[in-house]
């Protein structure tokens, strides 16, 4: 079991308003048994999806629970619940659950089915995606060689493809798809580099409810061999 605490501050300057916000990420992770994993925590951050939402200065206070259950026959079940209080007096409830099967371990190949439902107390469609009713079901395949599973001088990658159907309010079902990919190189325990990309038309992927494409670059270098402060209790 271990406790993680991150504290920071975010700043925004625009023609409309200038402000700074306190941000935090606090979580407690534990393994009740070798096949079960649980995480409970809270995240405080401001909405930064696009310029319009940044200028509104909306603060999200997320309270969440993650629970993963594995079996000895490669079947797993992951569930996530988010309860969000927003500074604009809106409230969001999000439930995500995934039933998956691990076909091979190295690299990890998973197939499965996801279900997601979202409810907002207030509907503000002209401001951000905030349905009273949202449901989505999709089938997916994951191919992953995680950066934490390799030591030094090695490639890591990730590829996810999924398709399904989503229901927004009382509208008819809409076909959905999403693709995520990542490719990187780990030099050693202290540095790595990778590129990534994603494309999705699932409404819940964004704060505005439209198709999104994202590409990015990441470089990590740890100056010290060990964290300045690290507390971990092994069970």
């Amino acid at each position: 079991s271990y406790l993680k605490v991150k504290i920071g501050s975010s700043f925004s300057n625009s023609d409309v308003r200038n402000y700074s916000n306190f941000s935090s990420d606090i979580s407690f992770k534990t393994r009740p048994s070798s096949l079960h994993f649980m995480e409970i925590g809270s995240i405080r951050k401001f909405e930064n999806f696009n310029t319009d939402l940044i200028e509104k200065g909306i603060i999200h206070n997320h309270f969440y629970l993650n629970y993963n259950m594995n079996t000895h026959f490669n079947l797993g079940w992951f569930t996530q619940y988010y309860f969000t209080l927003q500074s604009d007096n809106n409230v969001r409830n999000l439930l995500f659950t995934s039933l998956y099967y691990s076909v091979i371990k190295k690299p990890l190949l998973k197939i499965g089915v996801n279900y997601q439902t979202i409810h907002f107390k207030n509907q503000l469609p002209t401001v951000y995606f905030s349905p009273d009713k949202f449901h989505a079901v999709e089938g997916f395949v994951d191919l992953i060689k995680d950066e934490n599973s390799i030591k030094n001088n090695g490639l890591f990658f990730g590829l996810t493809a999924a398709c399904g159907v989503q229901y927004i309010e009382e509208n008819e079902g809409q076909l959905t798809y999403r693709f995520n990919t990542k490719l990187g190189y780990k030099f050693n325990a202290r540095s790595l580099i990778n590129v990534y990309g994603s494309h999705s038309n699932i409404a819940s992927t964004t704060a505005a409810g439209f198709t999104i494409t994202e590409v990015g670059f990441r470089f990590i270098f740890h100056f010290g061999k060990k964290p300045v402060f690290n507390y971990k209790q092994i069970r």
Side-chain angles (χ1 to χ4, degrees), residues 58 86 88-90 120-131 207:
I58 300 174
Q86 300 182 182
D88 62 352
N89 294 321
N90 212 346
F120 279 82
K121 183 183 73 172
N122 303 318
Q123 283 63 63
L124 305 170
T126 60
V127 181
Y128 53 82
F129 182 68
S130 50

Side-chain angles (χ1 to χ4, degrees), residues 141-145 156-162 178-184 194-200 213-218:
V141 56
D142 281 343
L143 180 62
I144 302 171
K145 186 175 182 181
F156 60 91
F157 55 83
L159 175 64
T160 298
R178 62 182 177 92
F179 303 97
N180 299 283
T181 184
K182 176 173 67 175
L183 178 64
N194 74 269
V195 293
Y196 61 89
S198 65
H199 180 68
S200 174
T213 300
E214 179 182 10
V215 294
F217 168 82
R218 183 177 68 139

